[in-house]
Amino acid sequence: MDGKPFVLVVAIVLLWSSSPAESKDCSRIQRKTYKSPAFSLEPGDVQDRYYELEFPKGHIGVKNFQGEVVDELGNSVPLSEVYLHHWAVYGHYMKSSERKELTAGNAGICQEDILSQFWGLGSETRQTSYYIPGSYAIGVGNPPEGYEELWVLNVHAIDTRGTYDPQGCLECRCSLYNVTTKISGQPLKEGYKGGFSCCYDGTKCAVRPGFQASKRTLYMQYTIEWVEWDECVLPVRVYIFDITDSRKRDPVDRDVGCNIEYDVPACDPSSNPDCIHQLENHLVIPKGGSFIYGVAHQHGGAMGITMHGEDGRHLCSSIPIYGNGSAPGNEAGYVVGMSTCTPEPGTVTIASGEKLRLSSSYSSAQEHTGVMGYFYLVVGDDDTVSLGEFKVCVVFTSSSFKFLD
C-alpha cells in the first residue's frame, strides 16, 4: 500500500443474549416513567384521542416501551372497569417555520399512515413484553435536517362500569352505542354490526338503568427504556402485518389495503365442531433480515397468530394469555398478555421479498365483531458480522487502537 501505514482495528464484544443486562448496550440502559395528559371517563364513555408525548431527547435506541391505564394515585385500573381497546405511539417530523409535517412511521406494509405506529397494544399490555433483545434497538431522535421529532400517543379506552352488555361494549356493537353514522358523519356501510366505527371518541355504551358512578380522571402511564446511540447499537426495522390486508393500494382511497378489523361469525357445530375461525393471508416483506422480535395483537376470543416462511418453516406463534382473577393484569376472561418470539439473533433469517404466511385464529363459539389480527415483526437492519455469541464492530483508524467499552 505504497508504504503508508494502515491499521484495521477490530473490537470484539462478548454478548450474553440470555441475560440482556450483560449485553454491551443493555449495561447502559436508561429508564424513565411518564404520564400522558389526563382524560376523564364516566360509565359507558369512550375516549379515542391523541396526545403529544414526553420522550427522551437525542439520538437514542429504544429497547422497551410499556404502558397501562392508571388513576390519579398511580394505581393500575382493571380492564373490568376501563377497557383499553388499544394504544399506539406515532412519530412525526415537524418543520414549524414552513408548517411541514412528515410521518416518521415504521417500515410498513399497510397503506400510507395506516398502522404506522412503532409501539402499540391493547388489553394485553400489562403482560406483554416489548423488549428488543441483545444489542438491537429502535433508532429514534435523528430527524432530517431542519425538522424536529414529535411523538404522539393515541389512547382508545372504554369505561364499562355498569354497562348493560360489557362484552358487547368491548366489541363496539353499534346497537349498544346507538350509532348509525361514522365519526365523519357518513352512514355506516350496510351490514356493519360493530367495530371502531361505532365506538369513536364521545360515543357512549348503554348503561344499566339507575346505575351511578363518579367520573374518573385517568392517565396512560408509560415507561421507556433506551440507550444512547453509538456504533455498537444495532438498528432494526419494524413491520406491522395486518391479517385483513387486501394487498391492493389506491393512491386516492386510503381505505383500500389494510382494513384493520374484521368480524368472526358464530360457528355451525355441524360443519365446524371445534368452532375455530381462521383467517389466513400471504404478505411480502420488502426487506428481510435477522428475526429479532415478534408479537401479535388480538381481541377477546383470540387463539393466536402464527407466522410461517415461504418455504413452510415455522417462524413464530404468538398466543394469548387469559386472566383468571380480578387484579389488574389478571382479569378473568380478558386477554391480558400475548406470548412473544425472540429467537437468538442470527439464528432465524427472513429473506427480502419473502412471502410470509400468517394465520389468525379466534374461537367462533359466539359471534365477535371488530376483532383485530396484527403481527408486529422486528428484523435486524445492519451490516455487523455475527459469530455465535460474539459481535464484531469494525472501526478504521490510522493512529490508534482501543476496545469499545
Side-chain angles (χ1 to χ4, degrees):
M1 300 181 63
D2 300 327
K4 296 179 180 179
F6 182 81
V7 181
L8 171 64
V9 179
V10 178
I12 302 177
V13 181
L14 182 62
L15 297 181
W16 300 99
S17 59
S18 60
S19 178
E22 295 178 8
S23 295
K24 179 177 184 299
D25 60 338
C26 296
S27 65
R28 300 177 283 111
I29 284 182
Q30 301 179 62
R31 186 176 189 269
K32 188 172 182 179
T33 298
Y34 306 84
K35 281 185 180 179
S36 73
F39 58 94
S40 299
L41 291 176
E42 293 181 342
D45 282 355
V46 177
Q47 101 103 37
D48 186 8
R49 298 179 186 175
Y50 293 80
Y51 304 95
E52 184 173 344
L53 284 187
E54 287 188 81
F55 212 88
K57 301 297 184 183
H59 190 191
I60 63 172
V62 178
K63 299 286 295 178
N64 198 5
F65 196 116
Q66 303 291 154
E68 65 165 336
V69 174
V70 300
D71 63 18
E72 289 181 290
L73 299 177
N75 298 314
S76 300
V77 178
L79 295 169
S80 54
E81 297 178 10
V82 177
Y83 180 72
L84 187 56
H85 186 279
H86 71 262
W87 61 267
V89 177
Y90 301 88
H92 296 270
Y93 296 143
M94 304 292 295
K95 183 182 283 189
S96 57
S97 60
E98 300 179 18
R99 296 185 179 181
K100 284 186 177 180
E101 177 179 347
L102 302 174
T103 299
N106 58 47
I109 61 173
C110 290
Q111 61 269 40
E112 185 178 0
D113 293 337
I114 301 298
L115 299 182
S116 61
Q117 66 266 29
F118 279 96
W119 303 276
L121 295 169
S123 66
E124 74 274 23
T125 187
R126 291 188 177 109
Q127 287 201 46
T128 304
S129 172
Y130 242 139
Y131 187 82
I132 305 298
S135 293
Y136 292 90
I138 298 174
V140 302
N142 190 28
E145 185 176 355
Y147 285 83
E148 294 183 3
E149 192 172 64
L150 172 70
W151 291 96
V152 175
L153 169 71
N154 172 223
V155 181
H156 188 184
I158 304 170
D159 191 324
T160 59
R161 292 175 296 164
T163 51
Y164 177 76
D165 178 4
Q167 182 62 34
C169 293
L170 310 187
E171 297 190 351
C172 299
R173 304 267 176 84
C174 302
S175 59
L176 291 172
Y177 287 88
N178 194 28
V179 167
T180 57
T181 61
K182 302 178 182 179
I183 191 171
S184 63
Q186 296 178 319
L188 297 172
K189 60 184 178 183
E190 187 177 352
Y192 189 85
K193 296 181 179 180
F196 59 82
S197 289
C198 287
C199 58
Y200 46 84
D201 189 63
T203 56
K204 193 179 187 75
C205 198
V207 176
R208 297 192 305 269
F211 179 84
Q212 293 184 341
S214 61
K215 179 183 287 189
R216 304 179 73 176
T217 299
L218 304 168
Y219 304 84
M220 186 72 185
Q221 181 171 280
Y222 58 101
T223 299
I224 303 175
E225 294 180 68
W226 75 94
V227 294
E228 299 299 326
W229 197 268
D230 64 27
E231 67 272 21
C232 277
V233 178
L234 303 184
V236 297
R237 287 185 307 282
V238 179
Y239 291 100
I240 298 182
F241 298 94
D242 179 11
I243 200 71
T244 70
D245 192 344
S246 68
R247 304 185 296 278
K248 299 177 181 177
R249 301 293 183 263
D250 188 314
V252 178
D253 188 353
R254 293 178 66 252
D255 290 337
V256 175
C258 297
N259 195 57
I260 301 178
E261 62 177 3
Y262 65 102
D263 293 342
V264 174
C267 68
D268 178 357
S270 63
S271 58
N272 183 8
D274 294 329
C275 287
I276 298 175
H277 180 275
Q278 287 188 314
L279 187 62
E280 189 171 292
N281 207 339
H282 294 77
L283 301 171
V284 174
I285 184 169
K287 185 178 180 183
S290 181
F291 187 130
I292 305 301
Y293 171 92
V295 70
H297 168 62
Q298 292 182 300
H299 290 185
M303 300 178 71
I305 293 181
T306 299
M307 174 183 282
H308 288 85
E310 192 166 342
D311 60 358
R313 71 194 187 284
H314 177 263
L315 295 173
C316 178
S317 290
S318 183
I319 308 300
I321 302 166
Y322 282 89
N324 58 9
S326 58
N330 190 36
E331 299 92 333
Y334 290 86
V335 176
V336 296
M338 295 293 295
S339 66
T340 61
C341 297
T342 54
E344 184 78 16
T347 61
V348 179
T349 301
I350 299 175
S352 296
E354 184 168 359
K355 184 179 290 186
L356 304 174
R357 176 166 59 89
L358 293 99
S359 179
S360 176
S361 299
Y362 275 85
S363 168
S364 57
Q366 65 182 62
E367 181 185 39
H368 298 286
T369 59
V371 304
M372 296 181 177
Y374 308 158
F375 193 92
Y376 290 79
L377 175 65
V378 178
V379 297
D381 183 22
D382 66 89
D383 296 322
T384 299
V385 180
S386 295
L387 298 174
E389 292 183 328
F390 292 86
K391 179 180 73 179
V392 179
C393 295
V394 181
V395 180
F396 295 93
T397 178
S398 62
S399 61
S400 64
F401 176 88
K402 65 178 181 177
F403 285 99
L404 304 178
D405 51 24

